[in-house]
Amino acid sequence: MPKARLTREQIAERAALELPDGAYVNLGWGIPNLIAAYVPKDVVVYFHSENGILGMGPRAKAGEEDYDLVDAMKVPVTLVPGAAYFSQVDAHVMTRGGHLDICILGGLQVSERGDLANWRVPGAKGAGGIGGAMDISVGAEKLIVTMEHNSKDGQRKIVTACSYPLTAIECVNTIITDLAVIDVTTDGLVLREVAPGFTPEEVQEQTEPKLRCSENVPEMALRTK
Amino acid sequence: MPKARLTREQIAERAALELPDGAYVNLGWGIPNLIAAYVPKDVVVYFHSENGILGMGPRAKAGEEDYDLVDAMKVPVTLVPGAAYFSQVDAHVMTRGGHLDICILGGLQVSERGDLANWRVPGAKGAGGIGGAMDISVGAEKLIVTMEHNSKDGQRKIVTACSYPLTAIECVNTIITDLAVIDVTTDGLVLREVAPGFTPEEVQEQTEPKLRCSENVPEMALRTK
Amino acid sequence: MDLAVADVPDGAIVMFGGFGGAGFPNNLIQGLARRGARNLRVISNNCGTGDGELGILFKNRQIRHVVAAFPGPGATYFQQQFDAGEVELELVPQGILCERMRAFGAGIPAFYSPVGVGTDVAKGKEERVIRGKRYILEQALGADYAFIKAYRADRMGNLVYRKAARNFNPIMATAAKITIVEVDEVVETGTLDPETIVTPSIYVDRIVVAKGIHNA
Amino acid sequence: MDLAVADVPDGAIVMFGGFGGAGFPNNLIQGLARRGARNLRVISNNCGTGDGELGILFKNRQIRHVVAAFPGPGATYFQQQFDAGEVELELVPQGILCERMRAFGAGIPAFYSPVGVGTDVAKGKEERVIRGKRYILEQALGADYAFIKAYRADRMGNLVYRKAARNFNPIMATAAKITIVEVDEVVETGTLDPETIVTPSIYVDRIVVAKGIHNA
């Protein structure tokens, strides 16, 4: 049986474990948007949305949508007790000013020194769009990128230097993929965990820069295997 | 009978006529603080206070003071309908951003080109204090200075160049004193009105820079003479 | 409605509030479409959703230049005209888009920003190291008109918003020569709590009451 | 009360809200006086009224340096120590004092300002002409602690203020590593209207309930 990489949901599940109790958190497009569903029951986190909400709850139930209460992906959401509304400029005082505890974004490429490219594939049609990703990347106290380890056509996405247009330089702290959890440190990339069934060597093979690791790299802890 | 210069109350009364209906107005320390009482009955103006009020009403009656509702001089005040509270930083978005229609400040010296000195007498004891005057002077759409034409020891206060520490450069539009109303223009100072009974020559004598004026300079219109 | 936008000339710079389908002044936008002013320079987070929001103005080819953070995949008319080189785009990070407007309203001509350092956004901008970190210089961004959407206004122009429909609206109100607001209802002056007013009346020039239009 | 300020070390940089007798965290200030931390660098619009507000900290000689807009004629202890050269003062225009704090909280390291151009305030600062006007470069201003006063907090730390006692408090909350708030009352989380919260909980680290002290 060929070994299975993690699903997008499993990446989200693993990423959810990075959220400490009481944290103020912004989640970006893509896999990050799946994370809220996996926050452990005994952990309370407050979700920030760059359109001016702190304390977003789950998606609104069908029939109960209020289109004045949407998240940054236009999805009707709800509030938790203690939530607050504010303007977009105040929302970005929070992002850029370093007030959020953890931000989790999707990624197209992450470099050895933690540069992130996540807003535009070179040569793609259309104007592209930056959105809030640059403000969030620059300001995040801790920035986690969740993404598949390889692109659809098998290219490595963790690279020595990004070839895609950058979102921000030296901003990523941790990368969580379908193969591994990797920390970006001043000494380079450190392999913290591997996906169940994979070896550090197999992860290294799909990763352009050299990964450092201890002798025994644990497997990611997941409820759903 | 020696001719009488205007009282401080009369300067305030004349200055009040400069306020158009619907104007948003900031009044500073000293004579400006007397102006609100003289706003004509058919004119509605909205007073701004740099501690975060737009729409201040009269001073609170004795026994009805609320010490959380004070103006920039610590005086308990009231609100008019349509008033709003905001923070000090937002109060100065209004001053510096040019949103107020008219600001009226006291003055120690005003120069020919409209420089204002109003926060510190050279050699005075103590640390002095700038307060909000610099922000207000720089941002005011129209800045009026109300002051006595001469200092207590008879010095001219409208000067070729200020010798006192400056509040802001090229900021004053109009000077209203106990002797005259003078406009600061790109062609220099223009004498618009004289105090009842005074001649342009008498005003010029107490004014260091040259005053331009038309052949017939009207007297200031005052109810109280 | 049409009266409120009747003086917007060709070539005007116009800001539009709204984000994620919420807080768009759609009635004012449609009024401007009817008015037909051309060669507009617009400032908005996105560039419309089909015919909705700013879409109608692109469809009518009224817009020449746009400053936006996220034009959006649904901005069909914009994307066509962009690909054809018929409309100019300045792409700005969303927080910096807000911050540049705030700076304008606050009398700040320019500020240093950490956002976009080392990226395409930094191209052509002054870079400077302050206390050991790299920053780029960003310029204030103002407009001739701000078209905004609020929930409720009093007759004097004090505004409150509804939920996440607040977004760009309060900051745009401070950054334009003339601010025109579309509201669900107008109440008597004095009935809004002074503690809860988000946009004080000083920033509002014209008020129009209209039933909100939502473009999904 | 004393517990809330127990970790403020000698040499700390501390901001204090309050203006015109309103919105001063007087109970926290008196707690800091009892704690006795020395060599403080403080940021506050003024420098006390007799023993009141910051006065007690000057009386105790706990303050070495102050950034203020209007120290005030009633700041007896400060004025004595200033005349004697025992305390350092950086005098800042009031709006720029606020704006430098806001910049710090907003991740903006420095900005150009029209205020103080050609005056003593410009001394030692870079001057630059932008779009034909003169400006000076102002730096962000942050602190280790902000001591602020609000009216009501929920348990999570969301804050609302009362009337003009709001003043410097919300902006200081964003500009300090640790924000300690003194409130009249604490309510259950979820009972403050999300539309009317002025300081979201993200900016608040410690809450102390105390009966307000007013120094006339």
Side-chain angles (χ1 to χ4, degrees):
Chain A
M1 195 179 91
K3 285 180 288 192
R5 292 183 177 215
L6 268 50
T7 62
R8 289 163 64 85
E9 286 72 19
Q10 287 176 312
I11 299 174
E13 183 191 337
R14 175 60 192 82
L17 298 178
E18 299 288 311
L19 303 177
D21 194 35
Y24 292 94
V25 178
N26 183 290
L27 302 178
W29 291 63
I31 298 171
N33 204 22
L34 305 171
I35 292 171
Y38 294 99
V39 177
K41 290 273 176 263
D42 56 341
V43 169
V44 178
V45 295
Y46 302 100
F47 291 110
H48 168 273
S49 186
E50 53 266 42
N51 53 336
I53 312 171
L54 192 63
M56 273 195 305
R59 177 191 270 262
K61 287 182 192 144
E64 296 178 11
E65 298 93 346
D66 180 337
Y67 290 95
D68 280 345
L69 177 45
V70 294
D71 68 11
M73 294 98 194
K74 277 178 102 154
V75 176
V77 293
T78 57
L79 291 190
V80 300
Y85 297 116
F86 35 85
S87 72
Q88 204 115 3
V89 73
D90 286 337
H92 282 294
V93 167
M94 293 180 193
T95 66
R96 195 179 47 239
H99 303 286
L100 296 170
D101 298 305
I102 296 193
C103 298
I104 308 185
L105 296 178
L108 295 171
Q109 291 183 328
V110 177
S111 85
E112 192 169 16
R113 62 169 194 171
D115 296 351
L116 170 64
N118 83 342
W119 68 277
R120 187 168 176 74
V121 176
K125 242 192 126 184
I130 294 171
M134 285 195 183
D135 304 272
I136 292 167
S137 302
V138 161
E141 187 74 10
K142 180 172 183 180
L143 181 65
I144 298 174
V145 170
T146 54
M147 63 181 188
E148 277 97 2
H149 210 96
N150 297 76
S151 64
K152 281 182 187 140
D153 59 352
Q155 299 294 310
R156 292 160 178 169
K157 296 174 68 176
I158 304 175
V159 293
T160 308
C162 296
S163 58
Y164 287 18
L166 289 176
T167 305
I169 59 171
E170 299 177 26
C171 59
V172 180
N173 298 100
T174 296
I175 313 163
I176 302 180
T177 74
D178 49 359
L179 285 184
V181 177
I182 295 169
D183 290 322
V184 182
T185 77
T186 46
D187 292 333
L189 300 180
V190 175
L191 180 63
R192 201 204 309 171
E193 297 173 15
V194 292
F198 285 84
T199 65
E201 293 70 27
E202 288 168 320
V203 175
Q204 178 66 71
E205 205 168 292
Q206 303 303 329
T207 309
E208 191 183 350
K210 174 83 188 122
L211 297 172
R212 299 171 62 242
C213 63
S214 62
E215 258 178 66
N216 293 300
V217 180
E219 289 190 348
M220 292 172 172
L222 294 167
R223 282 172 300 167
T224 57
K225 286 196 187 173
Chain B
M1 194 180 92
K3 287 181 289 193
R5 293 185 174 212
L6 267 52
T7 63
R8 291 164 61 86
E9 285 71 18
Q10 287 176 312
I11 299 175
E13 183 191 337
R14 175 60 191 83
L17 299 178
E18 299 288 311
L19 302 176
D21 195 35
Y24 293 92
V25 178
N26 184 291
L27 302 178
W29 291 65
I31 297 171
N33 204 23
L34 305 171
I35 292 172
Y38 294 98
V39 177
K41 289 275 178 262
D42 56 340
V43 169
V44 178
V45 294
Y46 302 100
F47 291 111
H48 168 272
S49 186
E50 53 265 44
N51 53 336
I53 312 171
L54 192 64
M56 273 194 304
R59 179 190 270 261
K61 287 182 193 144
E64 295 178 9
E65 299 92 346
D66 180 338
Y67 290 95
D68 280 347
L69 176 45
V70 294
D71 68 10
M73 294 99 193
K74 277 178 101 153
V75 176
V77 292
T78 57
L79 291 190
V80 300
Y85 297 115
F86 35 83
S87 72
Q88 204 114 5
V89 73
D90 287 337
H92 282 294
V93 167
M94 294 180 192
T95 66
R96 197 179 46 240
H99 303 286
L100 296 170
D101 297 304
I102 297 197
C103 299
I104 309 185
L105 296 178
L108 295 170
Q109 291 184 327
V110 177
S111 84
E112 191 169 16
R113 63 168 193 169
D115 297 349
L116 170 65
N118 83 341
W119 68 277
R120 187 169 177 72
V121 176
K125 242 192 126 185
I130 295 171
M134 285 194 182
D135 304 272
I136 291 167
S137 303
V138 162
E141 188 74 12
K142 178 171 183 179
L143 181 65
I144 298 174
V145 170
T146 54
M147 63 181 188
E148 278 96 5
H149 210 94
N150 297 76
S151 64
K152 280 181 189 139
D153 59 353
Q155 298 294 310
R156 292 160 177 169
K157 296 174 68 174
I158 303 175
V159 294
T160 308
C162 295
S163 57
Y164 286 19
L166 290 175
T167 304
I169 59 171
E170 299 177 26
C171 59
V172 179
N173 299 99
T174 296
I175 313 164
I176 302 179
T177 74
D178 49 0
L179 285 185
V181 178
I182 296 170
D183 290 322
V184 183
T185 77
T186 46
D187 292 333
L189 300 180
V190 175
L191 182 62
R192 199 201 314 169
E193 297 172 19
V194 292
F198 286 84
T199 64
E201 293 69 28
E202 287 168 320
V203 175
Q204 177 67 71
E205 204 168 291
Q206 303 303 329
T207 309
E208 192 182 348
K210 173 84 188 122
L211 296 174
R212 300 170 62 243
C213 62
S214 61
E215 257 176 69
N216 294 301
V217 180
E219 288 191 349
M220 292 172 171
L222 292 167
R223 281 171 300 167
T224 58
K225 286 194 186 172
Chain C
M1 181 62 55
D2 290 31
L3 198 65
V5 303
D7 65 351
V8 178
D10 288 357
I13 304 175
V14 189
M15 289 175 171
F16 298 90
F19 181 96
F24 284 89
N26 284 315
N27 289 286
L28 290 174
I29 292 170
Q30 291 176 17
L32 186 58
R34 286 189 295 272
R35 156 115 181 103
R38 304 184 71 82
N39 280 317
L40 299 173
R41 302 175 71 90
V42 309
I43 301 164
S44 167
N45 182 71
N46 71 1
C47 295
T49 304
D51 284 10
E53 296 159 7
L54 287 198
I56 184 72
L57 298 177
F58 284 105
K59 187 179 185 184
N60 290 353
R61 299 184 173 272
Q62 291 174 260
I63 296 174
R64 174 165 58 97
H65 182 97
V66 58
V67 181
F70 193 82
T76 348
Y77 298 105
F78 162 79
Q79 296 286 0
Q80 284 167 8
Q81 291 166 35
F82 178 81
D83 286 340
E86 294 163 0
V87 61
E88 297 161 13
L89 171 69
E90 181 188 352
L91 204 54
V92 177
Q94 188 188 98
I96 295 306
L97 184 58
C98 305
E99 192 67 17
R100 290 175 59 193
M101 295 173 195
R102 182 193 174 276
F104 188 92
I108 303 297
F111 59 89
Y112 288 99
S113 159
V115 180
V117 167
T119 77
D120 290 355
V121 163
K123 280 182 190 159
K125 290 177 187 157
E126 174 190 316
E127 182 173 316
R128 178 167 185 159
V129 173
I130 301 174
R131 293 180 284 280
K133 263 190 74 178
R134 294 166 65 189
Y135 297 95
I136 54 178
L137 187 63
E138 293 283 359
Q139 305 293 327
L141 182 66
D144 299 319
Y145 294 86
F147 283 21
I148 66 168
K149 170 78 171 77
Y151 178 43
R152 204 173 265 160
D154 68 18
R155 298 200 178 280
M156 209 171 132
N158 291 297
L159 305 180
V160 293
Y161 301 86
R162 188 167 179 276
K163 304 189 176 183
R166 190 183 301 194
N167 58 62
F168 283 88
N169 290 295
I171 203 67
M172 287 179 172
T174 71
K177 289 193 201 94
I178 296 174
T179 293
I180 311 175
V181 58
E182 170 183 331
V183 295
D184 288 7
E185 60 173 329
V186 172
V187 298
E188 288 307 315
T189 297
T191 59
L192 296 177
D193 179 355
E195 298 280 10
T196 70
I197 289 167
V198 175
T199 295
S201 60
I202 195 169
Y203 297 118
V204 176
D205 298 284
R206 300 174 196 165
I207 306 170
V208 168
V209 185
K211 191 173 157 8
I213 297 174
H214 173 70
N215 300 282
Chain D
M1 182 62 55
D2 291 31
L3 198 63
V5 303
D7 65 351
V8 178
D10 288 357
I13 304 174
V14 189
M15 287 175 171
F16 298 89
F19 180 96
F24 284 90
N26 285 314
N27 289 285
L28 291 173
I29 292 169
Q30 291 176 16
L32 186 58
R34 287 190 294 273
R35 156 120 181 101
R38 303 183 73 80
N39 280 317
L40 298 173
R41 301 175 72 89
V42 309
I43 301 163
S44 167
N45 183 70
N46 71 1
C47 295
T49 305
D51 285 10
E53 299 160 5
L54 287 197
I56 184 72
L57 298 176
F58 284 105
K59 186 178 184 184
N60 291 352
R61 301 185 170 273
Q62 290 175 260
I63 296 174
R64 174 166 58 95
H65 182 98
V66 58
V67 182
F70 193 81
T76 350
Y77 298 106
F78 161 79
Q79 297 286 0
Q80 284 166 10
Q81 290 166 35
F82 178 81
D83 286 339
E86 294 164 0
V87 61
E88 297 161 15
L89 170 69
E90 181 188 352
L91 204 55
V92 177
Q94 189 188 98
I96 295 305
L97 184 58
C98 304
E99 192 67 18
R100 289 175 59 192
M101 295 174 194
R102 182 193 176 276
F104 188 92
I108 303 297
F111 59 89
Y112 288 98
S113 158
V115 180
V117 168
T119 77
D120 290 354
V121 163
K123 281 183 189 158
K125 290 176 187 159
E126 174 188 318
E127 182 173 314
R128 180 169 185 155
V129 173
I130 301 174
R131 294 180 283 279
K133 263 191 73 177
R134 293 167 66 189
Y135 297 95
I136 55 178
L137 187 64
E138 293 284 358
Q139 305 293 326
L141 183 65
D144 299 320
Y145 294 85
F147 283 20
I148 67 168
K149 170 77 171 77
Y151 178 43
R152 204 173 264 158
D154 68 17
R155 296 200 179 280
M156 212 172 132
N158 291 297
L159 305 180
V160 292
Y161 301 86
R162 188 166 179 279
K163 304 190 175 184
R166 191 183 301 194
N167 58 61
F168 283 87
N169 290 296
I171 204 67
M172 288 180 172
T174 72
K177 291 194 198 93
I178 296 174
T179 294
I180 311 176
V181 58
E182 171 182 331
V183 295
D184 288 8
E185 61 172 329
V186 172
V187 299
E188 288 307 315
T189 297
T191 58
L192 296 177
D193 179 356
E195 299 279 8
T196 69
I197 289 167
V198 175
T199 294
S201 59
I202 195 169
Y203 297 117
V204 176
D205 298 285
R206 300 174 196 164
I207 306 169
V208 168
V209 185
K211 192 176 159 3
I213 297 174
H214 173 70
N215 300 282

